[in-house]
Amino acid sequence: MLLIGNGRVVTRDAQAPYFSDGAVAVSGETIAAVGPLAQLQEAYPQAEFLDARGGVIMPGLINAHTHIYSALARGLSLRGYHPATFRQVLEGMWWAIDRKLDADATRKSAAATILDCIRMGVTSIFDHHASYGEIPGSLFAIAEEARRLGMRCCLCYEVSDRDGAQKCAEAIRENGEFARYAAKDPSDMVKAMFGLHAPFTLSDATLDRCVRENDGVTGFHVHVSEGMDDVYDSLRNHGRRPVQRLQDHGILGPKTIAGHCIHVNPAEMEILCQTETMVVNNPQSNMSNAVGVSPVLQLLAKGVLVGLGTDAYTHDMLESAKAALCVQRLNACLPDVAFGETAQMLFVNNARIAARYFQKPLGVLRPGAAADVIVMDYKPYTPFDAHNVDGHMLFGMSGRQCRTTVVNGKVLYRDGAFTLVDEEAENAAICETAQALWGRLNG
């Protein structure tokens, strides 16, 4: 039994949203109780006490769309890389990197991503992987790293026709084999989706092969209308827009994530709503790639379940939320919009997205929920209560204030230090692999 207390507890549970001096009792992999510190100390006198030291105790954060394969690019400079379009960004940077990723680089990319997530209070990730340098076994390798380091994850492989028929076939097979493996895993720590890159890199025949290989085992995770290339290709070569094309092939549905959805029109929004397809917004990546602003406010108004991701631009979900708020206000030219919607995406909708895959409730502190708990080193200098929690989180907190991270009942990060691994040794091994990768890229 573990008792996390001596702090402000933000539960995200409507029945008991906040305790000014509270605690969370953890039994095994599950939350046993949430309430006033004194009450829980009396109820669980033998529990190990984890002192929050006056910080904020809250549910672990969920990243609904990221890319492990990009982890080793931090600080990388590619010779001759001067992109002027989004297509050039993909071809010159990300596809160049994933074509050089071997099994070791995939493992180290996973370790780097997961350790950074744990540091920033992220306890669950939905990853969209590509390593065309070595495809077979890549999702299994990531899952092994996730188990070793304690991260909860939902994984898929990015199918694309861009590197030819053999690579495409290997990617389809990797998705299928991993999806069937994850479906039998009882841990509630590893789930699978069927990954697709973007419609403009996928033929009709490939989409149909993916549907056959998946055979209803899981949902799809696909980039949709991130750039105008996707829209132009779909209209020019298939006579319909990307969302319509995906619907025609049976890709959409309640367990499918459509990433980005920047250039979607009202008819496509209606299709996303009617099919109950999930959408994930990635504001910083979209701004960095200069591809546009997702119509998040309109999607939400239509009833689409819109969550928040990072596209691996960062692993700090609070940083992503700040960007989402600002860019939606800038895009609307209105300073009084998007506050509630941004909080909803991060704290409510990401949990709802996770609930379509994971058995235990995530993103909430209540009895029976998964024991994913973080402690933020945040000492407010203005009033802090149940009514203004989101204001403090969106304007005062950052992921780097995370001091303690508990996933599935295991304390992975305590008072700013990893408990299960040697951080310096992990970083040294990751850096060695990154240096070798950079050499292959610029060789």
Side-chain angles (χ1 to χ4, degrees):
M1 179 70 73
L2 176 68
L3 188 63
I4 307 167
N6 186 27
R8 297 172 171 85
V9 176
V10 177
T11 69
R12 299 295 169 183
D13 177 9
Q15 303 303 312
Y18 178 71
F19 297 93
S20 59
D21 184 17
V24 178
V26 172
S27 178
E29 301 170 354
T30 306
I31 293 172
V34 183
L37 174 60
Q39 180 180 315
L40 267 61
Q41 283 179 319
E42 183 177 352
Y44 303 101
Q46 303 303 316
E48 175 191 353
F49 187 66
L50 197 161
D51 191 351
R53 301 180 185 177
V56 176
I57 303 166
M58 55 189 276
L61 299 167
I62 300 162
N63 187 340
H65 181 80
T66 190
H67 291 290
I68 278 171
Y69 77 84
S70 69
L72 304 187
R74 185 175 293 175
L76 170 64
S77 178
L78 288 175
R79 190 177 299 118
Y81 175 64
H82 305 290
T85 66
F86 178 52
R87 182 65 178 260
Q88 290 173 6
V89 170
L90 293 175
E91 293 176 342
M93 173 67 80
W94 304 119
W95 295 353
I97 288 173
D98 80 56
R99 286 173 182 137
K100 298 295 184 180
L101 288 182
D102 57 16
D104 178 61
T106 288
R107 283 185 178 275
K108 296 303 191 296
S109 297
T113 297
I114 291 168
L115 291 173
D116 231 16
C117 285
I118 292 169
R119 287 187 190 99
M120 297 187 192
V122 174
T123 56
S124 301
I125 59 173
F126 283 72
D127 187 71
H128 197 279
H129 182 63
S131 55
Y132 277 84
E134 189 169 351
I135 297 170
S138 56
L139 294 182
F140 293 89
I142 293 171
E144 288 174 7
E145 286 298 292
R147 289 188 191 282
R148 180 176 74 88
L149 298 171
M151 177 60 65
R152 195 183 303 273
C153 60
C154 183
L155 308 176
C156 70
Y157 194 92
E158 180 179 290
V159 174
S160 174
D161 289 315
R162 65 180 180 258
D163 279 357
Q166 180 181 338
K167 294 290 187 179
C168 180
E170 289 179 3
I172 292 171
R173 190 179 309 115
E174 181 71 8
N175 266 313
E177 290 177 356
F178 187 77
R180 289 185 286 273
Y181 159 79
K184 297 176 183 177
D185 188 295
S187 70
D188 206 33
M189 290 294 289
V190 177
K191 302 295 180 181
M193 301 182 77
F194 204 106
L196 305 171
H197 180 240
F200 80 92
T201 72
L202 294 158
S203 68
D204 286 343
T206 295
L207 288 175
D208 290 339
R209 286 178 63 194
C210 290
V211 171
R212 287 195 300 272
E213 177 70 22
N214 186 31
D215 195 26
V217 173
T218 189
F220 293 87
H221 193 161
V222 53
H223 296 120
V224 180
S225 298
E226 182 177 2
M228 284 303 295
D229 280 335
D230 214 10
V231 179
Y232 295 148
D233 175 84
S234 192
L235 289 171
R236 183 183 302 115
N237 297 315
H238 305 282
R240 58 185 70 81
R241 293 178 67 91
V243 171
Q244 296 166 318
R245 184 174 171 225
L246 292 172
Q247 183 188 35
D248 290 345
H249 287 274
I251 301 296
L252 305 182
K255 299 199 77 175
T256 287
I257 287 177
H260 299 282
C261 287
I262 296 169
H263 305 287
V264 291
N265 68 13
E268 290 178 293
M269 295 184 201
E270 191 64 32
I271 291 171
L272 292 167
C273 179
Q274 293 301 317
T275 57
E276 300 182 72
T277 300
M278 302 171 281
V279 170
V280 177
N281 181 37
N282 306 279
Q284 290 162 299
S285 171
N286 296 342
M287 287 188 284
S288 177
N289 290 326
V291 289
V293 180
S294 176
V296 165
L297 302 180
Q298 295 93 320
L299 286 162
L300 288 168
K302 281 187 173 290
V304 177
L305 178 57
V306 183
L308 190 66
T310 66
D311 208 35
Y313 186 93
T314 180
H315 302 301
D316 185 339
M317 291 306 301
L318 291 168
E319 182 182 305
S320 186
K322 296 177 201 301
L325 172 64
C326 292
V327 76
Q328 289 299 322
R329 288 183 171 179
L330 178 65
N331 191 52
C333 296
L334 292 169
D336 63 345
V337 300
F339 178 86
E341 291 88 346
T342 298
Q344 177 186 339
M345 284 192 292
L346 178 56
F347 300 118
V348 178
N349 290 359
N350 276 11
R352 291 174 60 194
I353 288 171
R356 296 192 182 181
Y357 277 89
F358 294 94
Q359 297 163 20
K360 292 191 186 76
L362 304 181
V364 64
L365 303 181
R366 67 165 180 254
D372 294 0
V373 187
I374 62 175
V375 178
M376 305 295 286
D377 185 15
Y378 181 71
K379 308 295 194 304
Y381 53 79
T382 56
F384 186 114
D385 57 36
H387 303 291
N388 66 6
V389 161
D390 291 340
H392 279 276
M393 293 193 180
L394 290 176
F395 296 108
M397 286 190 189
S398 74
R400 296 191 183 279
Q401 291 171 310
C402 179
R403 189 172 66 229
T404 295
T405 303
V406 178
V407 183
N408 206 38
K410 293 182 179 178
V411 182
L412 305 181
Y413 190 66
R414 185 168 189 163
D415 293 331
F418 288 95
T419 62
L420 303 182
V421 296
D422 181 335
E423 182 178 3
E424 289 192 10
E426 294 284 339
N427 285 355
I430 292 166
C431 189
E432 182 179 356
T433 297
Q435 188 169 11
L437 173 65
W438 291 13
R440 294 196 296 274
L441 286 163
N442 281 318

